[in-house]
Amino acid sequence: MSWMNNGNTAKSEAEITAFVQKVIESPDFKKEDLDSFDAHRENQRFNKAVSQSNLKSQFMEVSVNILVPSGNAMVLPQPFTVPGLLHRDLTATIVDAFSDPLAHLLHFLPFKLFHHDATKQKDDWVHRELYISDAFLAEQEKVQRYGKLPADDLDCKREKVVTALMFSSDATHLTDFGNAKAWPIYLMLRNLSKYFRSQLNSGQCIILHTFHRYPTHFKTLPPIFTQNVWKAILDDDFINAYHYGIVIKCIDSVERRIYPQFFTYSVDYPEKCSNLGEYSGLNAFVDCLGPKFNPSQMLVIDLLHEFELGVWKALFTHLIHLLHAAGCGSDDLVVQLDRRDISTFGHGTICKFAVNSSEIKKLAAQDFEDLLQCALPAFEELPREIAACNRRQTSQQAAMSSAIPRSMSTANSNVPPPSNVLSPTPSLPPIAATPPVPLPTAAASMSIPEGQPPAASTPASGTNRKCKGLNLFIVKFHFLSDYVRHIHLFGMTDSYSTQLGELAHQLVKRLYSLTNKKEAIKQISKKYTWQRVFRQAEKKEEEEADQPEHLSEHHIISRSRNSPLNVFTFAQDGDPAKKC
């Protein structure tokens, strides 16, 4: 059952080998146990056992009540009930995270990381993770000084620890064709390094909420729906834990008082407006957590949608337009750009480019990121007069903006102050003042029959050409000035990019393929719960192997590979008890 519900839909050679080693060759395997085996019946029995267990972080189905405007100012809004909200208890989910197999890697206390520059003889503060950032240090100081204690435990002497909560949400389609979709909300603890949270199979990207049934009465759900969903998630238990902390026995068997705090919420721009309550005038975070909570502070910049798929895509498209215009109806400059060879680098740094990058067809965010890294040498002298006045302004501006959030372990001395990195919105770069460039029509770019002069030799009339400019007065360009401030507060952007949420969508889609497509979201929630139950069972098996009753046995081999041990180092540490 554990092998069947491990989330992998395609059983590869490694999966088959693991099945043989962990199941068939297991000492407790008995052929008689498979007599009259039926997978559906066993799943039903297992689901019943899980539902009757004391597992508090199971999915619960609730309904959300919203007020729908009538469209008439004289008629009050009418209440409407939206059923099918599946969510887990937020407090219980946090408690379970402290007993996870990777809980021993959590950072309970923040610290500062410095890089010593031998040439300048100075130490630079490195910004990488949240637990070495300004925001975490400030919140830890606040909790240590002013952290409240419950009335029934005013003499508590336990260590106070801040738990940094990171959320990410985005709607996604579950199939390439059809209307199957989901809107999950993911929870991650930023006390853990980003190198573990970014691994899909680590189990550190927790599905907190998913919507089971979309109502057919609305073309799109009203923005107030988002606020009511968060009111259902932020229940009384979590509000009490937010203000007074919650006592949790951590993986090292030490009880600590944990204060869960909201740090970052990674969403795209439409959801930012919904979570701020700009459409409805209401905000669930302020209503539940108090008027001192600032929801705009946790809505961090979105490098994936705002920059890579927004700012840079618009700049790259404008550069292609300039090359078309400079060619006077000919595509020679664009063809020359496509022919410029850029070698791949690393496994995920610069991937292979498309055949014609100038067509901008079916490009993902990582493709635009690769184009940005190679833009300066690729556009060199295409042509010189355009490169001098336009290309350098746009590419260098974009490269500087991208280098700030993408640079490796940025130190304080290398990051300019937030107020001097980018000009304010009114002071636009020179490219904004460039007049719109004329573009050839589709007919002008078609092949010319043999024997006829090329269309470029004859100036086109004004009716056959159109102007295309670059609009810098959009919110995505305005957000560029927030990057440095957010890096100082929350660390590097790859720690809280919406790319983590997009990666987590793969888990939801993988589980969807294991369902029979009938009430698929419910089945996804069940299978996800089963996976976490099996993870806890493997951890319990490891703990049982360390119990005193097993000391008489020569050795015990665990089924889990989560805690590898170098045998050579283990045998060479000089301990006489380890000698054969």
Side-chain angles (χ1 to χ4, degrees), residues 326-340:
C328 299
S330 173
D331 294 337
D332 292 343
L333 293 176
V334 179
V335 173
Q336 185 178 351
L337 173 68
D338 291 331
R339 288 179 177 177
R340 296 203 164 180

Side-chain angles (χ1 to χ4, degrees), residues 147-159:
K148 299 179 181 179
L149 296 175
D152 56 351
D153 197 7
L154 294 177
D155 297 330
C156 178
K157 302 299 181 181
R158 299 180 182 90
E159 179 185 2

Side-chain angles (χ1 to χ4, degrees), residues 113 115 124-129 132 194 402-416 484 487-488 491-493:
L113 181 64
H115 171 261
D124 297 325
W125 187 2
V126 178
H127 296 272
R128 181 183 298 169
E129 300 278 1
I132 58 175
K194 60 185 178 183
S402 177
I404 292 171
R406 286 289 186 181
S407 59
M408 300 177 298
S409 304
T410 309
N412 250 351
S413 62
N414 299 326
V415 180
V484 175
I487 291 174
H488 277 273
M492 304 304 296
T493 58

Side-chain angles (χ1 to χ4, degrees), residues 280-298:
S280 60
L282 303 175
N283 190 278
F285 297 97
V286 176
D287 294 342
C288 297
L289 305 180
K292 294 183 179 180
F293 184 83
N294 184 8
S296 61
Q297 182 73 18
M298 68 174 180

